[in-house]
Amino acid sequence: MLDDKIRQIIDGCKSAIEWAKCARDIGEAKVKFLGKSGALTLLLKELKNVPPDEKPIVGKRLNDVRAELEAALERAEAEFAKREREERIKAETLDVTLSKRATGYGALHPLTIVKNDIVNIFIGMGFEVKDGPEIEHKYYNFTALNIPEDHPSRDSADTFYIGDEMLLRTQTSAVQAHVMEQQKPPIRILCPGKVYRPDDDATHSPMFHQIEGLVVDEHLTISDLMGVLGEFAKKFFSPETKIRLRPSYFPFTEPSVEVDLSCAMCGGKGCRLCKGTGWLELLGAGIVNPAVLECSGIDSTKYSGFAFGMGVERAAMVKYGIPDMRLLFDNDIRYLKQFR
Ligand code: DAH
């Protein structure tokens, strides 16, 4: 009777080991046969019913079986643990010959690159960078810059107004007036920033970037303007680049000029980029109108100044031969990548 039970337990445990698929199955068999309420444990509890003279033999027999099953389960468990570890390691193996997955590196937008290049060149010439508000009072955007009340740029069709007094600045020249109010000469500043006008075509955008320059000191003449901008052109474009001044008109400068660059593509012979003229229009500039100096409380009999304002998009288009400004705003990564 007892023998049958023992045989059953041994067979049951061995077949559980045989059919086990993983270490967990072995763990379950351990509980089932050797655990607190396991089959063999229950049988051991029945020892008290065995006649006293048989007890030592039966007891030994049960202990031997327990030791034997324990050893068999342990071996199986170790075998599974080993196999599972090997499989895990195999699955984790790195194939170092596989080519790596491409990661996208970030890059600066071409307009940021161009703006930084321009700013750095002027910093190298001793200019200081100044910031101004994009939502501006019409006094700084127009009045302080000698722009008369009836000037077309003040018209609501040409400027984004926010109420009667405030507007989205149409030019970074507005920063000039702020700086001259607060700072006395010598002044040598550069003001990069966004400006806004209701224009939208291949060469205009409702939002674009400008960089304004202003120098105020004693004895400044248009030769200083030419020297500074000529140096800038050589550094920004190429050492061979020349500039030329053409008469122009801005209310805040007198005289006013347009500054052209010799065309880098054809070296001045005339090509598609420069529309056959050999020159590319780059920026507006001039000698600061004494009325502008006086308006900000600077003595125009003692000080003079020169100023210039350039479009960053324009500079990028000229430098890289970009035909349409909208390419800079479409944010097509394939296009922008080329400038990295
Ligand atoms: N503010 C002018 C514009 O937006 C550019 C400009 C021209 C700035 C001449 C100047 C300057 O400082 O002297 O078109």
Side-chain angles (χ1 to χ4, degrees):
M1 192 33 196
L2 192 70
D3 261 355
D4 283 353
K5 281 189 179 169
I6 291 175
R7 183 90 328 253
Q8 255 177 27
I9 289 173
I10 294 173
D11 288 350
C13 188
K14 293 213 162 145
S15 98
I17 291 173
E18 206 168 306
W19 288 96
K21 290 194 183 65
C22 58
R24 228 178 88 212
D25 292 346
I26 299 292
E28 279 169 16
K30 249 185 182 168
V31 173
K32 187 172 170 196
F33 296 101
L34 308 180
K36 252 194 219 153
S37 331
L40 195 68
T41 319
L42 296 179
L43 207 56
L44 269 159
K45 282 181 185 158
E46 281 178 32
L47 204 59
K48 59 179 186 297
N49 305 325
V50 173
D53 55 334
E54 287 178 31
K55 250 187 200 164
I57 302 163
V58 176
K60 183 174 183 317
R61 170 102 173 91
L62 286 176
N63 276 334
D64 287 350
V65 170
R66 187 182 177 86
E68 182 192 337
L69 295 184
E70 237 165 33
L73 285 163
E74 227 103 271
R75 267 198 311 279
E77 198 171 35
E79 181 58 32
F80 274 119
K82 187 176 157 215
R83 210 181 301 164
E84 284 168 16
R85 212 177 111 242
E86 277 168 9
E87 268 161 25
R88 209 176 50 240
I89 290 170
K90 211 157 122 197
E92 280 173 1
T93 308
L94 285 180
D95 183 350
V96 293
T97 63
L98 277 178
S99 57
K100 78 180 171 96
R101 198 172 299 149
T103 38
Y105 291 104
L108 293 178
H109 190 280
L111 285 177
T112 306
I113 297 173
V114 168
K115 184 204 79 181
N116 289 348
D117 286 352
I118 297 172
V119 168
N120 285 334
I121 292 169
F122 283 103
I123 285 178
M125 290 195 262
F127 282 71
E128 187 189 344
V129 175
K130 288 281 182 186
D131 237 352
E134 280 173 41
I135 298 174
E136 185 58 281
H137 194 280
K138 63 181 186 184
Y139 170 80
Y140 292 102
N141 198 83
F142 297 125
T143 314
L145 294 170
N146 197 39
I147 298 176
E149 282 295 337
D150 58 355
H151 194 276
S153 67
R154 285 186 177 244
D155 198 279
S156 60
D158 286 302
T159 298
F160 293 112
Y161 280 90
I162 302 169
D164 292 337
E165 307 277 302
M166 304 300 285
L167 43 88
L168 295 183
R169 70 178 172 196
T170 64
Q171 47 185 354
T172 43
S173 306
V175 186
Q176 277 193 23
H178 284 288
V179 172
M180 284 192 285
E181 256 181 13
Q182 292 155 9
Q183 202 175 320
K184 293 303 144 208
I187 293 170
R188 205 180 295 162
I189 55 146
L190 202 64
C191 325
K194 293 184 173 68
V195 298
Y196 303 84
R197 292 177 201 179
D199 299 323
D200 200 5
D201 58 40
T203 50
H204 298 88
S205 154
M207 185 285 300
F208 63 104
H209 300 80
Q210 277 191 334
I211 297 183
E212 179 80 12
L214 172 72
V215 180
V216 182
D217 207 341
E218 290 177 46
H219 317 301
L220 286 178
T221 69
I222 204 145
S223 312
D224 299 294
L225 169 89
M226 287 181 76
V228 165
L229 293 180
E231 188 62 17
F232 161 73
K234 287 192 196 333
K235 289 222 162 77
F236 183 65
F237 294 96
S238 72
E240 296 78 46
T241 308
K242 290 190 197 59
I243 60 165
R244 118 183 141 172
L245 307 191
R246 279 180 296 115
S248 186
Y249 174 76
F250 299 102
F252 33 91
T253 43
E254 182 57 36
S256 303
V257 293
E258 292 287 345
V259 179
D260 295 341
L261 292 176
S262 56
C263 178
M265 190 130 111
C266 61
K269 285 195 234 31
C271 67
R272 185 180 48 82
L273 183 65
C274 58
K275 299 194 183 88
T277 63
W279 295 93
L280 295 161
E281 208 177 300
L282 182 67
L283 53 83
I287 292 296
V288 181
N289 193 317
V292 171
L293 296 176
E294 293 293 343
C295 188
S296 297
I298 291 177
D299 182 357
S300 66
T301 58
K302 185 169 178 207
Y303 296 106
S304 56
F306 65 85
F308 53 90
M310 77 179 98
V312 179
E313 284 78 3
R314 173 90 199 137
M317 289 167 81
V318 168
K319 181 161 178 172
Y320 296 111
I322 300 168
D324 191 321
M325 190 186 283
R326 288 168 293 205
L327 287 165
L328 291 165
F329 296 119
D330 285 345
N331 285 338
D332 181 336
I333 296 287
R334 291 166 305 176
Y335 190 78
L336 300 180
K337 256 185 186 169
Q338 305 173 69
F339 299 90
R340 191 154 63 193

